[in-house]
Amino acid sequence: MKTFLLQVVTPDATRLRIEQVTAVRVTLDNGPICILPGHASLIGRLVPGGISYVDQKGDHRIEVGEGILRVLKGGVTVLTGSLRLIS
């Protein structure tokens, strides 16, 4: 199964780095989006709220503040001012 890298970066440091992610669900300013391996490159504005992702250990959820989402061939990067791990 194809996977990609998920990173969450705050002004202080890279706060989360998860390899082998198979899906990310996030809400942008123009609506929700699901990112799967091979997704087209994208830059979007995040609204504060939840991001869910799936890796080999199962489903997980984090909360982030307002920020920027960048999708490239190798992965997803979230730039935000705050991060809270939920599960």
Coordinates of all heavy atoms in Angstrom, one line a residue:
M1 N 0.8 -1.2 0.0 CA 0.0 0.0 0.0 C 0.9 1.2 0.0 O 1.9 1.3 0.7 CB -0.9 0.0 1.2 CG -1.7 1.2 1.4 SD -2.9 1.2 2.8 CE -4.3 0.5 1.9
K2 N 0.5 2.2 -0.8 CA 1.3 3.5 -0.9 C 1.0 4.3 0.4 O -0.1 4.4 0.9 CB 1.0 4.3 -2.1 CG 1.4 3.6 -3.4 CD 1.2 4.5 -4.6 CE 1.8 3.8 -5.8 NZ 1.7 4.7 -7.0
T3 N 2.1 5.0 0.8 CA 2.0 5.9 2.0 C 2.7 7.2 1.7 O 3.4 7.4 0.7 CB 2.6 5.2 3.2 OG1 4.0 5.0 3.0 CG2 1.9 3.9 3.5
F4 N 2.6 8.1 2.7 CA 3.3 9.4 2.6 C 3.6 9.9 4.0 O 3.2 9.3 5.0 CB 2.5 10.4 1.8 CG 1.1 10.7 2.3 CD1 0.9 11.7 3.2 CD2 0.0 9.9 1.8 CE1 -0.4 12.0 3.6 CE2 -1.3 10.2 2.2 CZ -1.5 11.2 3.1
L5 N 4.4 11.0 4.0 CA 4.8 11.6 5.3 C 3.8 12.7 5.7 O 3.5 13.5 4.8 CB 6.2 12.2 5.1 CG 6.8 13.0 6.2 CD1 7.1 12.1 7.5 CD2 8.1 13.6 5.8
L6 N 3.5 12.8 7.0 CA 2.7 13.9 7.5 C 3.6 14.6 8.6 O 4.1 14.0 9.5 CB 1.4 13.4 8.2 CG 0.6 14.4 9.0 CD1 0.1 15.6 8.1 CD2 -0.5 13.7 9.8
Q7 N 3.7 15.9 8.4 CA 4.5 16.8 9.3 C 3.6 17.9 9.8 O 2.9 18.5 9.0 CB 5.7 17.3 8.7 CG 6.8 16.3 8.3 CD 8.0 17.0 7.8 OE1 8.9 17.2 8.6 NE2 8.0 17.4 6.6
V8 N 3.7 18.2 11.1 CA 3.0 19.4 11.6 C 4.1 20.3 12.2 O 4.9 19.9 13.1 CB 2.0 19.1 12.7 CG1 1.3 20.4 13.2 CG2 0.9 18.2 12.1
V9 N 4.3 21.5 11.7 CA 5.3 22.4 12.1 C 4.7 23.7 12.7 O 3.8 24.3 12.2 CB 6.2 22.8 10.9 CG1 7.3 23.8 11.3 CG2 6.7 21.6 10.2
T10 N 5.2 24.0 13.9 CA 4.8 25.2 14.6 C 6.0 26.2 14.6 O 7.1 25.8 14.2 CB 4.4 25.0 16.1 OG1 5.6 24.5 16.8 CG2 3.3 24.0 16.2
P11 N 5.9 27.4 15.0 CA 7.0 28.3 15.0 C 8.2 27.8 15.8 O 9.4 28.2 15.5 CB 6.5 29.6 15.6 CG 5.0 29.6 15.2 CD 4.6 28.1 15.4
D12 N 8.0 27.0 16.8 CA 9.0 26.5 17.7 C 9.8 25.3 17.1 O 11.0 25.2 17.3 CB 8.5 26.1 19.0 CG 7.8 27.2 19.8 OD1 8.2 28.4 19.6 OD2 6.9 27.0 20.6
A13 N 9.1 24.4 16.4 CA 9.7 23.1 16.0 C 8.8 22.3 15.1 O 7.6 22.6 15.1 CB 10.2 22.3 17.2
T14 N 9.3 21.2 14.6 CA 8.5 20.2 14.0 C 7.9 19.4 15.1 O 8.6 18.7 15.9 CB 9.3 19.3 13.1 OG1 9.8 20.0 12.0 CG2 8.4 18.2 12.5
R15 N 6.6 19.5 15.3 CA 5.9 18.9 16.5 C 5.4 17.5 16.3 O 5.2 16.8 17.2 CB 4.8 19.8 16.9 CG 5.1 21.3 17.3 CD 5.6 21.4 18.7 NE 4.7 20.7 19.7 CZ 3.6 21.3 20.2 NH1 3.2 22.5 19.9 NH2 2.9 20.6 21.1
L16 N 5.2 17.2 15.0 CA 4.7 15.9 14.7 C 5.3 15.4 13.3 O 5.3 16.2 12.4 CB 3.1 15.9 14.6 CG 2.4 14.6 14.4 CD1 2.5 13.7 15.6 CD2 1.0 14.8 14.1
R17 N 5.8 14.2 13.3 CA 6.3 13.7 12.0 C 5.9 12.2 12.0 O 6.4 11.4 12.8 CB 7.8 13.8 12.0 CG 8.4 13.3 10.7 CD 10.0 13.4 10.7 NE 10.6 12.6 9.7 CZ 10.8 13.1 8.5 NH1 10.5 14.4 8.2 NH2 11.4 12.3 7.6
I18 N 5.0 11.9 11.1 CA 4.5 10.5 11.0 C 4.7 10.0 9.6 O 4.3 10.6 8.6 CB 2.9 10.5 11.3 CG1 2.6 11.1 12.6 CG2 2.4 9.1 11.2 CD1 3.1 10.4 13.8
E19 N 5.4 8.9 9.6 CA 5.7 8.3 8.3 C 4.6 7.2 8.0 O 3.9 6.8 8.9 CB 7.1 7.7 8.2 CG 8.2 8.8 8.4 CD 9.6 8.2 8.2 OE1 9.7 7.2 7.6 OE2 10.5 8.9 8.7
Q20 N 4.5 6.8 6.8 CA 3.6 5.7 6.4 C 2.1 6.1 6.7 O 1.3 5.2 7.1 CB 4.0 4.4 7.0 CG 5.3 3.9 6.6 CD 5.7 2.6 7.1 OE1 5.2 2.1 8.1 NE2 6.8 2.0 6.5
V21 N 1.7 7.3 6.4 CA 0.3 7.7 6.5 C -0.4 7.3 5.2 O 0.2 7.5 4.1 CB 0.3 9.2 6.7 CG1 -1.2 9.8 6.6 CG2 0.9 9.6 8.1
T22 N -1.6 6.9 5.3 CA -2.4 6.5 4.1 C -3.5 7.4 3.8 O -4.0 7.4 2.7 CB -3.0 5.0 4.3 OG1 -3.8 5.0 5.5 CG2 -1.9 4.0 4.4
A23 N -3.9 8.3 4.7 CA -4.9 9.3 4.5 C -4.9 10.4 5.5 O -4.6 10.2 6.7 CB -6.3 8.6 4.5
V24 N -5.2 11.6 5.0 CA -5.3 12.8 5.9 C -6.6 13.5 5.6 O -6.9 13.7 4.4 CB -4.2 13.8 5.8 CG1 -4.4 15.0 6.5 CG2 -2.8 13.1 6.2
R25 N -7.4 13.8 6.6 CA -8.7 14.6 6.4 C -8.5 15.9 7.1 O -8.2 15.9 8.3 CB -9.9 13.8 6.9 CG -10.2 12.6 6.0 CD -11.4 11.8 6.6 NE -11.3 10.4 6.2 CZ -10.6 9.5 6.8 NH1 -9.9 9.7 7.9 NH2 -10.6 8.2 6.3
V26 N -8.8 17.0 6.4 CA -8.6 18.3 7.0 C -9.6 19.2 6.4 O -10.2 19.0 5.3 CB -7.2 18.8 6.7 CG1 -6.9 18.9 5.2 CG2 -6.8 20.1 7.4
T27 N -9.9 20.3 7.1 CA -10.8 21.3 6.5 C -10.1 22.6 6.2 O -9.4 23.2 7.0 CB -11.9 21.7 7.6 OG1 -12.6 20.5 7.9 CG2 -12.9 22.7 7.0
L28 N -10.2 23.0 4.9 CA -9.6 24.2 4.4 C -10.6 25.3 4.4 O -11.8 25.0 4.7 CB -9.1 24.0 3.0 CG -8.0 22.9 2.8 CD1 -7.6 22.7 1.3 CD2 -6.8 23.2 3.7
D29 N -10.2 26.5 4.1 CA -11.2 27.6 4.1 C -12.3 27.5 3.1 O -13.4 28.1 3.2 CB -10.5 28.9 3.9 CG -9.8 29.1 2.6 OD1 -9.6 28.1 1.9 OD2 -9.4 30.2 2.3
N30 N -12.1 26.6 2.1 CA -13.2 26.4 1.1 C -13.9 25.0 1.2 O -14.6 24.6 0.4 CB -12.7 26.6 -0.3 CG -11.5 25.6 -0.7 OD1 -11.0 25.0 0.2 ND2 -11.2 25.6 -1.9
G31 N -13.6 24.3 2.4 CA -14.3 23.1 2.6 C -13.4 21.9 3.0 O -12.1 22.1 3.0
P32 N -13.9 20.8 3.3 CA -13.1 19.6 3.7 C -12.5 18.9 2.5 O -12.9 19.0 1.4 CB -14.1 18.7 4.4 CG -15.4 19.0 3.8 CD -15.4 20.5 3.5
I33 N -11.3 18.3 2.8 CA -10.6 17.6 1.8 C -10.0 16.3 2.4 O -9.6 16.3 3.6 CB -9.5 18.5 1.2 CG1 -8.8 17.8 0.0 CG2 -8.5 18.9 2.2 CD1 -7.8 18.7 -0.7
C34 N -9.9 15.3 1.6 CA -9.2 14.0 2.0 C -8.0 13.8 1.1 O -8.2 13.9 -0.2 CB -10.2 12.8 1.9 SG -9.4 11.3 2.3
I35 N -6.9 13.7 1.7 CA -5.6 13.5 0.9 C -5.2 12.1 1.0 O -5.0 11.5 2.1 CB -4.5 14.5 1.4 CG1 -5.0 15.9 1.4 CG2 -3.2 14.3 0.7 CD1 -4.4 16.8 2.3
L36 N -5.0 11.5 -0.2 CA -4.5 10.1 -0.3 C -3.2 10.1 -1.0 O -2.8 11.1 -1.7 CB -5.6 9.3 -1.1 CG -7.0 9.2 -0.5 CD1 -7.9 8.5 -1.4 CD2 -6.9 8.5 0.9
P37 N -2.4 9.0 -1.0 CA -1.2 8.9 -1.7 C -1.4 9.2 -3.2 O -2.4 8.8 -3.8 CB -0.7 7.4 -1.5 CG -1.4 7.0 -0.3 CD -2.7 7.7 -0.2
G38 N -0.5 10.0 -3.7 CA -0.6 10.4 -5.1 C -1.4 11.7 -5.4 O -1.6 12.0 -6.5
H39 N -1.9 12.3 -4.3 CA -2.7 13.5 -4.5 C -1.9 14.6 -5.2 O -0.7 14.7 -5.1 CB -3.1 14.0 -3.1 CG -4.2 15.0 -3.1 ND1 -4.0 16.3 -3.5 CD2 -5.5 14.9 -2.8 CE1 -5.2 17.0 -3.4 NE2 -6.1 16.1 -3.0
A40 N -2.6 15.4 -6.0 CA -2.0 16.5 -6.7 C -1.4 17.5 -5.7 O -1.9 17.7 -4.6 CB -3.0 17.2 -7.6
S41 N -0.4 18.2 -6.1 CA 0.2 19.3 -5.3 C -0.8 20.3 -5.0 O -1.7 20.6 -5.8 CB 1.4 19.9 -6.0 OG 2.5 18.9 -6.2
L42 N -0.7 20.9 -3.8 CA -1.8 21.8 -3.3 C -1.2 22.7 -2.2 O -0.4 22.2 -1.4 CB -2.9 21.0 -2.8 CG -4.0 21.7 -2.0 CD1 -4.9 22.5 -2.9 CD2 -4.8 20.6 -1.2
I43 N -1.6 23.9 -2.1 CA -1.4 24.8 -1.0 C -2.8 25.4 -0.6 O -3.5 25.9 -1.5 CB -0.4 25.9 -1.3 CG1 1.0 25.3 -1.5 CG2 -0.4 26.9 -0.1 CD1 2.0 26.4 -1.8
G44 N -3.2 25.3 0.7 CA -4.5 25.8 1.1 C -4.4 26.4 2.5 O -3.5 26.1 3.2
R45 N -5.4 27.2 2.8 CA -5.5 27.8 4.1 C -6.3 26.9 5.0 O -7.5 26.6 4.7 CB -6.1 29.2 4.0 CG -6.1 29.9 5.3 CD -6.8 31.2 5.3 NE -6.3 32.0 4.2 CZ -6.9 33.1 3.7 NH1 -8.0 33.5 4.2 NH2 -6.4 33.7 2.7
L46 N -5.7 26.5 6.2 CA -6.4 25.7 7.2 C -7.3 26.6 8.0 O -6.9 27.7 8.4 CB -5.4 25.0 8.1 CG -4.6 23.9 7.6 CD1 -3.6 23.5 8.6 CD2 -5.5 22.7 7.3
V47 N -8.5 26.0 8.4 CA -9.3 26.7 9.4 C -9.0 26.0 10.7 O -8.6 24.8 10.7 CB -10.8 26.6 9.1 CG1 -11.1 27.4 7.8 CG2 -11.3 25.2 9.0
P48 N -9.1 26.6 11.9 CA -8.8 26.0 13.2 C -9.8 24.8 13.3 O -10.9 24.8 13.0 CB -9.1 27.0 14.2 CG -9.0 28.3 13.5 CD -9.4 28.0 12.1
G49 N -9.2 23.7 13.9 CA -10.1 22.5 14.1 C -9.3 21.2 14.0 O -8.0 21.2 14.1
G50 N -10.0 20.2 13.7 CA -9.4 18.8 13.7 C -8.8 18.4 12.4 O -9.3 18.8 11.3
I51 N -7.7 17.6 12.5 CA -7.1 16.9 11.4 C -7.1 15.4 11.8 O -6.7 15.1 12.9 CB -5.7 17.4 11.1 CG1 -5.7 18.8 10.6 CG2 -5.0 16.5 10.0 CD1 -4.3 19.4 10.4
S52 N -7.6 14.6 10.9 CA -7.5 13.2 11.2 C -6.6 12.5 10.2 O -6.5 13.0 9.1 CB -8.9 12.5 11.2 OG -9.5 12.6 10.0
Y53 N -5.9 11.5 10.6 CA -5.0 10.8 9.7 C -5.0 9.3 10.1 O -5.4 8.9 11.2 CB -3.6 11.3 9.8 CG -2.9 11.2 11.0 CD1 -2.0 10.1 11.3 CD2 -3.0 12.1 12.1 CE1 -1.3 9.9 12.4 CE2 -2.3 12.0 13.2 CZ -1.4 10.9 13.4 OH -0.8 10.8 14.6
V54 N -4.7 8.5 9.1 CA -4.6 7.0 9.3 C -3.2 6.6 9.0 O -2.6 7.0 8.0 CB -5.6 6.3 8.3 CG1 -5.5 4.8 8.5 CG2 -7.0 6.9 8.5
D55 N -2.7 5.8 9.9 CA -1.4 5.1 9.7 C -1.5 3.7 10.0 O -2.6 3.2 10.2 CB -0.2 5.8 10.4 CG -0.4 5.7 12.0 OD1 -1.2 5.0 12.4 OD2 0.4 6.4 12.7
Q56 N -0.3 3.0 10.1 CA -0.4 1.5 10.3 C -0.9 1.2 11.7 O -1.3 0.0 11.9 CB 1.0 0.9 10.1 CG 2.1 1.3 11.2 CD 2.8 2.6 10.9 OE1 2.4 3.4 10.1 NE2 3.9 2.8 11.6
K57 N -1.0 2.1 12.6 CA -1.5 1.9 14.0 C -3.0 2.2 14.1 O -3.6 2.0 15.1 CB -0.8 2.7 15.0 CG 0.7 2.3 15.1 CD 1.4 3.2 16.1 CE 2.9 2.9 16.1 NZ 3.6 3.8 17.0
G58 N -3.6 2.8 13.0 CA -5.0 3.1 13.1 C -5.4 4.5 12.8 O -4.6 5.3 12.2
D59 N -6.5 5.0 13.3 CA -7.0 6.4 13.1 C -6.5 7.2 14.2 O -6.6 6.8 15.4 CB -8.5 6.4 13.0 CG -9.1 5.7 11.8 OD1 -8.3 5.3 10.9 OD2 -10.3 5.6 11.7
H60 N -6.2 8.5 13.9 CA -5.7 9.4 14.9 C -6.3 10.8 14.6 O -6.7 11.1 13.5 CB -4.2 9.5 14.9 CG -3.5 8.2 15.0 ND1 -3.3 7.6 16.1 CD2 -3.0 7.4 14.0 CE1 -2.6 6.4 15.9 NE2 -2.5 6.3 14.6
R61 N -6.4 11.7 15.7 CA -6.9 13.0 15.5 C -6.0 14.0 16.3 O -5.6 13.7 17.4 CB -8.3 13.0 16.0 CG -9.0 14.4 15.8 CD -10.5 14.2 16.1 NE -11.1 15.5 16.3 CZ -11.5 16.3 15.4 NH1 -11.4 16.0 14.1 NH2 -12.1 17.5 15.7
I62 N -5.8 15.1 15.7 CA -5.1 16.2 16.3 C -5.9 17.5 16.1 O -6.8 17.6 15.2 CB -3.7 16.4 15.7 CG1 -3.7 16.7 14.2 CG2 -2.8 15.2 16.0 CD1 -2.4 17.0 13.6
E63 N -5.7 18.5 16.9 CA -6.4 19.8 16.8 C -5.3 20.8 16.4 O -4.2 20.8 17.1 CB -7.0 20.2 18.1 CG -8.2 19.4 18.4 CD -9.5 19.7 17.7 OE1 -9.6 20.9 17.2 OE2 -10.4 18.9 17.5
V64 N -5.5 21.7 15.5 CA -4.6 22.7 15.1 C -5.3 24.1 15.0 O -6.5 24.1 14.9 CB -3.9 22.4 13.7 CG1 -3.1 21.1 13.8 CG2 -4.9 22.4 12.6
G65 N -4.5 25.1 15.1 CA -5.0 26.5 14.9 C -5.0 26.8 13.4 O -4.7 25.9 12.6
E66 N -5.3 28.0 13.1 CA -5.2 28.5 11.7 C -3.9 28.2 11.2 O -2.9 28.3 11.9 CB -5.6 30.0 11.7 CG -5.9 30.5 10.4 CD -6.4 31.9 10.6 OE1 -5.8 32.7 11.3 OE2 -7.4 32.3 9.9
G67 N -3.8 27.9 9.9 CA -2.5 27.7 9.3 C -2.5 27.5 7.8 O -3.5 27.8 7.1
I68 N -1.5 26.8 7.3 CA -1.3 26.6 5.9 C -1.1 25.1 5.7 O -0.3 24.4 6.5 CB -0.1 27.3 5.3 CG1 -0.2 28.8 5.5 CG2 0.2 27.0 3.8 CD1 -1.4 29.4 4.7
L69 N -1.7 24.5 4.7 CA -1.5 23.1 4.3 C -0.7 23.0 3.0 O -1.1 23.7 2.1 CB -2.8 22.4 4.2 CG -2.8 20.9 3.6 CD1 -2.5 20.0 4.8 CD2 -4.1 20.6 3.0
R70 N 0.3 22.2 2.9 CA 1.1 22.1 1.7 C 1.1 20.6 1.4 O 1.5 19.8 2.2 CB 2.5 22.6 1.8 CG 3.3 22.5 0.5 CD 4.7 23.0 0.7 NE 5.4 22.0 1.5 CZ 6.7 22.1 1.8 NH1 7.4 23.1 1.3 NH2 7.3 21.2 2.5
V71 N 0.7 20.2 0.2 CA 0.7 18.8 -0.3 C 1.7 18.8 -1.5 O 1.5 19.5 -2.4 CB -0.7 18.3 -0.8 CG1 -0.6 16.9 -1.2 CG2 -1.7 18.5 0.4
L72 N 2.7 17.9 -1.3 CA 3.7 17.7 -2.4 C 3.7 16.2 -2.6 O 3.1 15.4 -1.9 CB 5.0 18.2 -2.0 CG 5.2 19.7 -1.9 CD1 6.6 20.1 -1.4 CD2 4.9 20.4 -3.2
K73 N 4.4 15.7 -3.6 CA 4.5 14.3 -4.0 C 4.8 13.4 -2.8 O 4.2 12.4 -2.6 CB 5.5 14.1 -5.1 CG 5.6 12.7 -5.6 CD 6.6 12.5 -6.7 CE 6.7 11.1 -7.1 NZ 7.7 10.9 -8.2
G74 N 5.8 13.8 -1.9 CA 6.2 13.0 -0.8 C 5.5 13.1 0.4 O 5.7 12.3 1.4
G75 N 4.6 14.1 0.6 CA 3.8 14.2 1.8 C 3.1 15.4 2.0 O 2.9 16.3 1.1
V76 N 2.6 15.6 3.2 CA 1.7 16.7 3.7 C 2.4 17.4 4.8 O 2.9 16.8 5.8 CB 0.4 16.2 4.1 CG1 -0.5 17.3 4.7 CG2 -0.4 15.5 3.0
T77 N 2.5 18.7 4.7 CA 3.1 19.6 5.8 C 2.0 20.6 6.2 O 1.4 21.2 5.4 CB 4.3 20.3 5.3 OG1 5.3 19.4 4.8 CG2 4.9 21.2 6.4
V78 N 1.8 20.7 7.5 CA 0.9 21.6 8.1 C 1.7 22.6 8.9 O 2.5 22.3 9.7 CB -0.1 20.9 9.1 CG1 -0.9 21.9 9.8 CG2 -0.9 19.9 8.3
L79 N 1.6 23.9 8.5 CA 2.2 25.0 9.2 C 1.2 25.7 10.1 O 0.2 26.2 9.5 CB 2.9 26.0 8.2 CG 3.8 25.4 7.2 CD1 4.2 26.4 6.2 CD2 5.1 24.9 7.9
T80 N 1.3 25.7 11.4 CA 0.3 26.2 12.2 C 0.9 26.8 13.5 O 2.1 26.5 13.9 CB -0.7 25.1 12.6 OG1 -1.8 25.7 13.4 CG2 -0.1 24.0 13.4
G81 N 0.2 27.7 14.2 CA 0.6 28.3 15.4 C 0.4 27.4 16.6 O 1.1 27.6 17.7
S82 N -0.4 26.4 16.6 CA -0.7 25.5 17.7 C -1.1 24.1 17.3 O -1.6 23.9 16.2 CB -1.8 26.1 18.6 OG -3.0 26.2 17.9
L83 N -0.8 23.2 18.2 CA -1.1 21.8 18.0 C -1.5 21.1 19.3 O -0.8 21.4 20.3 CB 0.1 21.0 17.4 CG 0.1 19.5 17.4 CD1 -0.9 19.0 16.4 CD2 1.5 18.9 17.1
R84 N -2.5 20.3 19.2 CA -2.9 19.6 20.4 C -3.2 18.1 20.0 O -4.0 17.9 19.1 CB -4.2 20.2 21.1 CG -4.6 19.5 22.3 CD -5.6 20.3 23.1 NE -6.9 20.3 22.4 CZ -8.0 19.6 22.7 NH1 -8.0 18.8 23.7 NH2 -9.1 19.8 22.0
L85 N -2.5 17.2 20.6 CA -2.8 15.8 20.2 C -4.0 15.3 21.0 O -4.2 15.5 22.2 CB -1.6 14.9 20.7 CG -0.2 15.3 20.0 CD1 0.9 14.4 20.6 CD2 -0.3 15.1 18.5
I86 N -4.9 14.6 20.3 CA -6.1 14.1 20.9 C -6.1 12.6 21.0 O -6.3 12.0 22.0 CB -7.4 14.5 20.1 CG1 -7.5 16.0 20.1 CG2 -8.6 13.9 20.6 CD1 -8.6 16.6 19.3
S87 N -5.7 11.9 19.9 CA -5.6 10.4 20.0 C -4.6 9.9 18.9 O -4.3 10.6 18.0 CB -7.0 9.8 19.7 OG -7.4 10.1 18.4

